[in-house]
């Protein structure tokens, strides 16, 4: 199935010079949505990944991560922007182009023995995924891999990630 044909390119969003890869057009397509989740699930199982929890990064990582967790027989854990999670959290700060941002996870969501897969819709520079990896690795649990629908190859985001399987369905 030609998934790329279902992804909409929006130039200069959210700011000048960014070519935004809009997956809402993929998500609204019943066959596209099913194929995407099935394909990602297949790649995870083919890689032999044993996953207790899928960690979805706010917000498009939630959309992909929840059905993937369901298919893998795993639980789902949200990693959210600062101040959104109601119970006690662990936080990690990371650098943006201008300034810093902060991601959080519930303190009681993960145990030392947990095997986790980090999921987002897209990897660009890798900063967001790297920070999420630090968050879970600081807790001490086992990071088994990363899953993305889209990888922007030229930005070489995967170079910044720990040495675990990095699964992406489409490259640009
Ligand atoms: P990065 O931390 O640079 O890897 O950026 C990844 C995050 O930013 C993901 O949550 C993406 O959803 C979003 N993002 C970055 N670049 C794009 C893009 N060109 N199109 C759509 N989303 C993007």
């Amino acid at each position: 199935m030609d998934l790329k044909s279902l992804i909409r390119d929006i130039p200069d969003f959210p700011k000048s010079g960014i070519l935004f890869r809009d997956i809402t057009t993929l998500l609204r397509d019943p066959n596209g949505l099913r194929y995407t989740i099935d394909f990602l699930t297949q790649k995870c199982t083919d890689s032999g990944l044993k996953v207790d929890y899928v960690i979805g990064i706010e917000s498009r990582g939630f959309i992909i991560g929840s059905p993937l967790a369901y298919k893998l027989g795993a639980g789902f854990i949200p990693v959210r922007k600062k101040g959104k999670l109601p119970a006690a959290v662990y936080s990690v700060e990371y650098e943006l182009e201008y300034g810093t941002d902060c991601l959080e996870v519930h303190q009681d969501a993960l145990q030392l023995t947990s095997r986790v897969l980090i999921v987002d819709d897209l990897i660009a520079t890798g900063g967001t995924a790297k920070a999420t990896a630090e968050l879970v690795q600081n807790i001490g649990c086992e990071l088994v891999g990363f899953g993305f629908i889209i990888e922007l190859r030229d930005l070489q985001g995967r170079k910044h990630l720990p040495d675990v399987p990095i699964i992406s369905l489409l490259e640009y």
Side-chain angles (χ1 to χ4, degrees), residues 33-149:
L33 176 61
R34 188 191 305 117
Y35 187 85
T36 300
I37 300 304
D38 288 351
F39 192 14
L40 202 49
T41 307
Q42 189 64 50
K43 284 208 164 204
C44 291
T45 46
D46 287 352
S47 301
L49 300 186
K50 300 267 183 292
V51 181
D52 298 313
Y53 300 106
V54 172
I55 303 228
I57 305 175
E58 185 169 356
S59 58
R60 289 184 292 275
F62 297 172
I63 302 169
I64 308 305
S66 306
L68 178 64
Y70 177 84
K71 297 266 299 186
L72 290 174
F76 177 80
I77 296 173
V79 160
R80 300 208 63 180
K81 305 276 170 60
K82 193 179 183 65
K84 301 277 190 179
L85 289 170
V89 294
Y90 294 120
S91 307
V92 65
E93 283 216 346
Y94 63 107
E95 302 285 327
L96 297 175
E97 202 178 341
Y98 303 104
T100 61
D101 212 341
C102 180
L103 290 171
E104 298 184 329
V105 69
H106 273 146
Q107 286 185 6
D108 59 2
L110 291 161
Q111 301 81 41
L112 284 176
T113 53
S114 306
R115 297 169 296 191
V116 305
L117 175 74
I118 294 174
V119 171
D120 204 355
D121 66 328
L122 178 149
I123 178 168
T125 66
T128 312
K130 179 174 179 249
T132 307
E134 279 170 22
L135 191 58
V136 301
Q137 288 181 317
N138 286 345
I139 294 167
C141 50
E142 186 187 350
L143 175 63
V144 300
F146 294 89
F148 305 97
I149 300 176

Side-chain angles (χ1 to χ4, degrees), residues 123-127 129-131 133-134 146 155-162 166:
I123 178 168
T125 66
K130 179 174 179 249
E134 279 170 22
F146 294 89
L155 295 175
Q156 300 188 304
R158 64 168 57 225
K159 270 199 339 198
H160 305 293
L161 300 185
I166 300 167

